[in-house]
Amino acid sequence: TAFNLQNAGSVDVSGTELELWWLPNDSTNLSLAWAFTEAKFGTFKAGNCQIANIFHTGNAAEAVQNATKGFCDRSGDRVGGVSDNHVVFNFSHRIQLGSAGNEAFFGSEYIYYSDMMMHNNNDPFALQNGVGLMNVRAGVALAESGVEVTFWARNVDDEKWHGTVFDAPLQDGKLDTYPREGRTVGLTIRKNF
């Protein structure tokens, strides 16, 4: 009837990261960042059981541990919310407008997450498939007044994806999650003093 809040005995994390920057000219900037992360529970003897998986599939191993101990051994399972591969590509370009120091600018950002387990009990129903998100921005910077106006859009393709997954209390077989932000657009006006 409640959440099982436990500390894992140990977590094993390893990975590598690569960052590349390229400035083909004074007004153009390209960058690429890639991170590979492998995160697993080294020991986690008293973890949560896959209640939804037991309910829908009759997973015998999980059911036996849950019935006899009230918790399940998650040792060796993936740590929730960690993407094995995370890639970010950025592009930005600035254009001088006349001789007064005014500029127009535009850019884009592509973010990719490979599949992520979104529940530390590693319930297969809590798997978030890989997702790619595109963000864009464009605007002008007026040097004399110190005003910068930016139009921006995040998650342009309106990708549907979710964050943390958890078992619904008192409702065996149901999972809840927090949806991540869909397409969002806005206008930002900034004044520099």
Side-chain angles (χ1 to χ4, degrees):
T1 61
F3 294 105
N4 173 24
L5 301 176
Q6 296 284 346
N7 288 326
S10 66
V11 173
D12 300 322
V13 181
S14 62
T16 187
E17 186 174 315
L18 174 70
E19 291 187 33
L20 301 171
W21 292 82
W22 183 38
L23 290 84
N25 54 54
D26 290 342
S27 59
T28 305
N29 184 1
L30 294 127
S31 66
L32 175 69
W34 167 71
F36 171 77
T37 307
E38 186 174 70
K40 296 188 180 240
F41 292 112
T43 57
F44 194 1
K45 301 290 186 185
N48 289 312
C49 293
Q50 299 173 357
I51 303 301
N53 190 276
I54 294 169
F55 185 87
H56 291 284
T57 67
N59 184 327
E62 291 281 326
V64 168
Q65 288 187 71
N66 186 45
T68 58
K69 302 177 186 175
F71 49 80
C72 291
D73 187 354
R74 299 270 66 100
S75 301
D77 284 353
R78 292 174 71 176
V79 174
V82 179
S83 172
D84 286 351
N85 289 284
H86 181 211
V87 178
V88 179
F89 175 74
N90 271 296
F91 164 77
S92 64
H93 186 71
R94 300 184 86 80
I95 301 168
Q96 294 294 321
L97 301 175
S99 59
N102 298 330
E103 290 183 325
F105 56 88
F106 58 91
S108 62
E109 173 185 58
Y110 179 76
I111 303 170
Y112 173 76
Y113 299 94
S114 62
D115 69 348
M116 293 179 275
M117 185 54 67
M118 301 309 288
H119 194 314
N120 281 329
N121 72 2
N122 279 241
D123 192 315
F125 295 124
L127 184 69
Q128 167 61 62
N129 292 325
V131 63
L133 308 169
M134 176 66 75
N135 305 320
V136 296
R137 65 198 170 280
V140 292
L142 307 174
E144 190 173 314
S145 64
V147 172
E148 186 175 288
V149 178
T150 307
F151 170 78
W152 51 267
R154 298 187 55 79
N155 191 2
V156 173
D157 295 330
D158 200 25
E159 290 288 336
K160 307 294 186 220
W161 63 306
H162 59 83
T164 302
V165 174
F166 55 95
D167 292 291
L170 300 173
Q171 299 177 64
D172 286 354
K174 289 188 177 181
L175 293 172
D176 288 331
T177 187
Y178 300 106
R180 295 289 176 101
E181 189 175 57
R183 181 187 301 119
T184 308
V185 298
L187 182 69
T188 301
I189 300 172
R190 180 177 292 126
K191 166 74 174 161
N192 296 315
F193 296 96

